[in-house]
Amino acid sequence: MTVRFEREILPLHESASGVRFEVDVWRYEHPQATQTLYLQAGVHGVELTGVPVLYEFMQQVEAEQLPFSFICVPLANPMGLDSQIMGQQVGYNNLHTNQQNCWNWNRVGNLRNEGSIEGRWIKTLLDLAEPASTVLDFHTAGLENAPHVYAQVSQVAHAETLGFPHVLAWETPSDSFSDSCFKRGQVALTFELSESRTVPEAGVERGLRALRIFLGLEEPAEPGTVWAIKERLLKWYAPESGVLQWKVSAGESVQVGQPLARLYRREGVQELLSPIEGVLLLKNPIHAPHQHQELAKFLKA
């Protein structure tokens, strides 16, 4: 008997014009499975790379008849995916709700018991993931990104050899989806595969390889560098407003005082110098920043 994925369609809510928002859940239950994994992509509508990773992986699972059980949600947020302004994906926050709320879609675990759009949506996803021992949530980040994995400090060993150059270890859980799963006792990792708003082939391959390593189907990769978020993650802000021209790429090592970018201001050109020695983790998708707007994140050596 060949085991295949079976699809279930779960309703979320309906818009004023009658458009229905639904989530597709794909389940695969192998008779020899000893563990269940929950795989999810697209929590933020701008973060697209994980979607083809899951569709490609589901085909591999069926072709190889892998002896695991999977719950897959490749399009976890239809509301975010459909949020565009003049063709630009903007589905990071919920633009469908009151503008004073405008909730970040991945920071609403605390709303799961209320009857709002966000609450009903996140409760649906958390309930789907509950039977799994492991939860893998696929994300992307920034205009440019050095691929990385977020893991609780007690679960870093699950993330170190999956083929990502950086593992960001956190201590205190937030209300994100993965952190909410961790708090109820599950292994929960968040993958940042590539930059957002695009679907680079390398990012898809990275996600597929990470899944196969996690399942023991490929040899482990060289361990990535582990960084304690509390001590090592640094946000960098624009000192003035202007137009930004970068000189370095995400993933590059930088030194204190190294020129990183130029800021073209009304008063003239300002060189922006590195505040630290470390790694440029990601660039935010900002080309004409306001003063004090976040430009990038670093990992401090």
Side-chain angles (χ1 to χ4, degrees), residues 41-42 44-56 74-75 81 88-89 138-145 192-208:
H44 290 131
V46 302
E47 300 183 359
L48 306 174
T49 305
V51 176
V53 169
L54 293 198
Y55 282 126
E56 293 281 351
L75 292 168
L81 187 62
Q88 178 78 7
Q89 297 294 136
F138 290 81
H139 286 251
T140 64
L143 174 69
E144 288 183 20
N145 171 337
E192 301 284 357
L193 297 173
S194 71
E195 65 272 22
S196 298
R197 296 184 173 89
T198 64
V199 186
E201 185 175 359
V204 175
E205 292 174 352
R206 183 177 296 112
L208 289 170

Side-chain angles (χ1 to χ4, degrees), residues 286-298:
I286 297 166
H287 303 285
H290 301 173
Q291 186 182 33
H292 308 313
Q293 192 167 15
E294 184 185 315
L295 300 179
K297 291 183 175 69
F298 293 96

Side-chain angles (χ1 to χ4, degrees), residues 219-255:
E219 290 296 315
E222 288 295 317
T225 303
V226 178
W227 307 81
I229 290 178
K230 188 175 181 181
E231 293 85 16
R232 302 296 185 184
L233 187 66
L234 173 70
K235 296 180 180 180
W236 193 44
Y237 301 94
E240 304 287 345
S241 61
V243 173
L244 188 67
Q245 179 191 30
W246 282 97
K247 294 185 175 183
V248 298
S249 299
E252 289 188 30
S253 296
V254 297
Q255 302 296 321

